[in-house]
Structure formats: structure tokens, C-alpha cells
């Protein structure tokens, strides 16, 4: 039986796509990455009377699942979904999505949905918990505020002047923490998330330049909420080298969480994606370690956005051997014997 693609909707960052597929029997929604790998899925509706039991053979044949009669509020089935009646609301992070039918919440696929672990999305017409859908009604107390926050965020983000206002908030904070600004570079390439780099030249209290991203904290990082960690960050680098060259690190990492649907945090490392000799900071380094509040560098605390504390992750360049040491023994294996200022 032929499967029809009812709707496709990429997230604002281009890293996930919601796809709704249907045949004459049922409809299902999938959350896929750029490679087509499914990261979340949820049954949406039966379009024929529900069977008495599960039909796993359908899924095995690559067809949309069907819920049995005791797992749906509409056992007689519903008409096929009308694409014109559907609308999509992506979460701020881009890792979850809400689907509406005629303005009514039809389904939610959150960031933690994973069919392989038995965690499907939530559907309006589902009852209880099944391998293909959990009841949306039973989870609405927790999901409704999450969905409302996503709607409020995108309404604000799409309003005229929102980005300029956010920029000024961050730049004003940097003025107070790092002194007068120097140059400013756009490293986002006119795609979301927008990210710039602010240069803060040396002052009478420091003999090095500080570079900071401006824009990463404008949206929460994907999956961070599942790890009880800072969900909004900016990156910073202290350097005595050419700031224009050093800023290439931010072109590399500034949009990374949303492109790769992950998060950056204290103690994380990242290996340079090109040949080691092209690493912007040279010196035999091949990647970076990210640290919050390292001793000896400016205090960046005191900035909040969207009700969340924003944390700055300082980049410490590491050699190949140091990157492997951190991978095996944790970041303290390096930070206990090195200081950030020794790498400026």
C-alpha cells in the first residue's frame, strides 16, 4: 500500500525535520535528522476501525503503526489528515516539536522521544502508554507550559527589532565586564542561530584581548534540559594573537549545538575539524577545552535571558595528547597543571 507524505517541516536551524506519513489505514509523525535517521516518532490517528490487538507486522513492513481499540479515544477511526489544517511549532532549541490540527494540539514529540527506548511522542487521541504513542492528555500539565513558552519565544524572535535588542543587552553586559568594545564580526552567515563576535581590546588591567560570542544565548541549547546543566551559554577566548584569526573558532563552534542537536558545557572538548596545521591558535594545538569561571580570567557572571542564567565557556587550546588525556581522565587532568593564561 502506498505511503503518502502529508507534511514536512524543517526546524529553524536545519538540523531536524518533522515528517508526517500516512496510508489509508493510519498516520504517523517522525522527527528525522539531516541524514534521515529517526530520533522520535508518534502515531497520530487510525483512519479505519481499530483492531483488537497491536499489528507489529505493519511497522516491520515500514508502514505507519496502528493503535488497538483500547489505546485510542477514537476506535472508529478518523478521516485522513488535511495538510491545510496542520501547523507546526518548533521548540526554541529545535529538538522538539508540537503539531496542531485546526489550532488544537494534536501531538508533541519532545527532545527525549526515542522509539528504541520505548519513549514515543504524545498524541491527542492516544490512551495510556503504548510503544507508538503516549497520552497527550495525561502529560499536558507538564507539556502545556513547554509549548506555550515555545510559542512566546518565536513570537518575540520574529518581531521587528528583537535581535537588535538582544545584541545590545549582551554588548552592554560585555562593556561592564570587559571594557570598551573593538571590532564586531558576524560569524552566523545569516542563518539561525545568528551569532556575532565582539572584540574587547587590552586594557590597563589586562594585556590580552578577549573575544566573546554574541547570540548563542538567544536560544536554549538542544538536549541541555535532560542533563540539568546550563541551557544558555556564550563562548569566550583570551588571546594575544591576531583576533581576526582567533575568531575562526567561533565560526566553528558558535552554531554547533543547534546544527548537531547537542549542548556545550563545562569540561567539554572539541577537536578541530580540519587539518591540525590549520588550527587558528597554532602552537601544536588541535582542539579546545571549555571551562566555566576559570581562575585568572574576567568574571562574566550577571547576565540572564529568558529567565535563565547565561554562562560563559572559556576556550583553552589543547594539543592532541591533552585532548586524549581529558577524554580518558576528565578535564581536571589538564586544568590542575595548566592555567588558561599560559595558553593565551
Amino acid at each position: 500500500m502506498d505511503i503518502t507524505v502529508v507534511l514536512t517541516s524543517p526546524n529553524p536551524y536545519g538540523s531536524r525535520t518533522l515528517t508526517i506519513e500516512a496510508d489509508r489505514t493510519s498516520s504517523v509523525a517522525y522527527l528525522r535528522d539531516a541524514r534521515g535517521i529517526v530520533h522520535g516518532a508518534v502515531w497520530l490517528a487510525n483512519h479505519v476501525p481499530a483492531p483488537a490487538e497491536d499489528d507489529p507486522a505493519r511497522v516491520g513492513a515500514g508502514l505507519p503503526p496502528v493503535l488497538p481499540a483500547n489505546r485510542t479515544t477514537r476506535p472508529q477511526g478518523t478521516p485522513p489528515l488535511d495538510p491545510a489544517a496542520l501547523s507546526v511549532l518548533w521548540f526554541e532549541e529545535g529538538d522538539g516539536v508540537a503539531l496542531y490540527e485546526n489550532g488544537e494540539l494534536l501531538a508533541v514529540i519532545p527532545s527525549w522521544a526515542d522509539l528504541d527506548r520505548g519513549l514515543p511522542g504524545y498524541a491527542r487521541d492516544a490512551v495510556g502508554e503504548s510503544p507508538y504513542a503516549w497520552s497527550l492528555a495525561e502529560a499536558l500539565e507538564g507539556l502545556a507550559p513547554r509549548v506555550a513558552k515555545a510559542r512566546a519565544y518565536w513570537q518575540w524572535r520574529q518581531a521587528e527589532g528583537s535581535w537588535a535588542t538582544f545584541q545590545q543587552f549582551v554588548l552592554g553586559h560585555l562593556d561592564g565586564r570587559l571594557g570598551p568594545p573593538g571590532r564586531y564580526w558576524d560569524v552566523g552567515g545569516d542563518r539561525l542561530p545568528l551569532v556575532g563576535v565582539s572584540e574587547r581590546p587590552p586594557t590597563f588591567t589586562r594585556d590580552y584581548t578577549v573575544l566573546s560570542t554574541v547570540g548563542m544565548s538567544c536560544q536554549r541549547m538542544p538536549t541541555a534540559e535532560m542533563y540539568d546543566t546550563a541551557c544558555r551559554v556564550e563562548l569566550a577566548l583570551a588571546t594575544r594573537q591576531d583576533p581576526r584569526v582567533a575568531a575562526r573558532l567561533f565560526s566553528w563552534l558558535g552554531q554547533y549545538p543547534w546544527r548537531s542537536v547537542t549542548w556545550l558545557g563545562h569540561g567539554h572538548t572539541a577537536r578541530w575539524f580540519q587539518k591540525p596545521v590549520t588550527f587558528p591558535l597554532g602552537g601544536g594545538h588541535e582542539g579546545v577545552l571549555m571551562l566555566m569561571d576559570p581562575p585568572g580570567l574576567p568574571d562574566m557572571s550577571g547576565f540572564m535571558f529568558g529567565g535563565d542564567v547565561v554562562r560563559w565557556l572559556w576556550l583553552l587550546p589543547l594539543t592532541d595528547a591533552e585532548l586524549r588525556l581529558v577524554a580518558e581522565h576528565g578535564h581536571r587532568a589538564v586544568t590542575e597543571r595548566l592555567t588558561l593564561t599560559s595558553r593565551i
Side-chain angles (χ1 to χ4, degrees):
M1 188 175 295
D2 292 337
I3 296 178
T4 301
V5 176
V6 179
L7 178 146
T8 59
S9 174
N11 73 12
Y13 314 112
S15 55
R16 288 282 188 271
T17 298
L18 175 69
T19 304
I20 298 176
E21 297 180 353
D23 63 7
R24 295 179 181 178
T25 302
S26 62
S27 294
V28 64
Y30 298 104
L31 203 55
R32 292 183 169 97
D33 64 18
R35 297 168 295 174
I37 298 175
V38 174
H39 291 266
V42 63
W43 165 93
L44 298 176
N46 292 345
H47 305 308
V48 296
E53 298 179 351
D54 283 325
D55 185 4
R58 278 184 57 85
V59 177
L63 298 173
V66 171
L67 287 196
N70 66 338
R71 290 299 182 187
T72 173
T73 60
R74 306 188 187 196
Q76 295 306 309
T78 62
L81 297 175
D82 178 3
L86 302 176
S87 57
V88 175
L89 174 66
W90 284 95
F91 288 2
E92 177 180 346
E93 302 89 335
D95 58 359
V97 66
L99 176 66
Y100 289 83
E101 182 183 34
N102 293 317
E104 179 184 358
L105 194 58
L106 177 62
V108 175
I109 304 180
S111 59
W112 56 86
D114 186 343
L115 281 182
D116 291 339
R117 295 190 295 145
L119 299 173
Y122 301 85
R124 178 193 63 192
D125 297 342
V127 173
E129 298 179 359
S130 78
Y132 309 119
W134 288 5
S135 168
L136 178 60
E138 294 177 8
L140 202 55
E141 182 177 353
L143 289 175
R146 189 76 176 76
V147 172
K149 190 172 183 178
R151 183 171 299 282
Y153 173 79
W154 290 113
Q155 288 176 342
W156 168 81
R157 189 67 183 83
Q158 294 162 3
E160 184 177 356
S162 61
W163 169 244
T165 299
F166 174 83
Q167 277 182 307
Q168 291 308 308
F169 284 153
V170 180
L171 292 172
H173 177 74
L174 295 176
D175 289 346
R177 292 298 183 181
L178 300 173
R183 292 164 291 186
Y184 183 91
W185 299 280
D186 173 21
V187 295
D190 293 326
R191 58 174 290 185
L192 291 178
L194 300 179
V195 180
V197 176
S198 178
E199 175 192 38
R200 302 291 158 153
T203 67
F204 67 92
T205 60
R206 67 169 191 269
D207 64 351
Y208 53 85
T209 295
V210 173
L211 300 176
S212 171
T213 57
V214 175
M216 292 181 69
S217 62
C218 191
Q219 49 281 305
R220 294 161 59 99
M221 289 186 293
T223 72
E225 64 180 333
M226 294 189 290
Y227 296 93
D228 192 27
T229 187
C231 59
R232 297 187 192 272
V233 301
E234 299 284 354
L235 301 179
L237 175 71
T239 183
R240 296 187 181 94
Q241 301 186 37
D242 185 343
R244 295 170 298 179
V245 177
R248 291 173 57 201
L249 290 177
F250 301 116
S251 299
W252 167 43
L253 291 174
Q255 294 176 320
Y256 180 81
W258 298 272
R259 291 183 179 180
S260 299
V261 192
T262 189
W263 58 284
L264 301 177
H266 180 70
H268 285 193
T269 59
R271 185 177 290 274
W272 182 241
F273 68 105
Q274 295 178 341
K275 293 181 179 179
V277 294
T278 67
F279 186 72
L281 302 182
H285 300 117
E286 298 187 14
V288 295
L289 171 65
M290 305 172 207
L291 297 175
M292 288 182 183
D293 306 320
L297 290 178
D299 176 11
M300 302 295 284
S301 63
F303 186 67
M304 295 187 66
F305 182 71
D308 301 313
V309 174
V310 176
R311 305 299 300 272
W312 263 258
L313 293 172
W314 291 84
L315 305 183
L316 170 66
L318 297 184
T319 64
D320 172 67
E322 290 166 341
L323 286 165
R324 287 188 280 109
L325 186 63
V326 172
E328 294 176 6
H329 302 288
H331 68 89
R332 288 187 177 84
V334 171
T335 55
E336 288 178 354
R337 59 188 178 87
L338 293 176
T339 63
L340 270 176
T341 51
S342 70
R343 298 301 176 98
I344 293 175

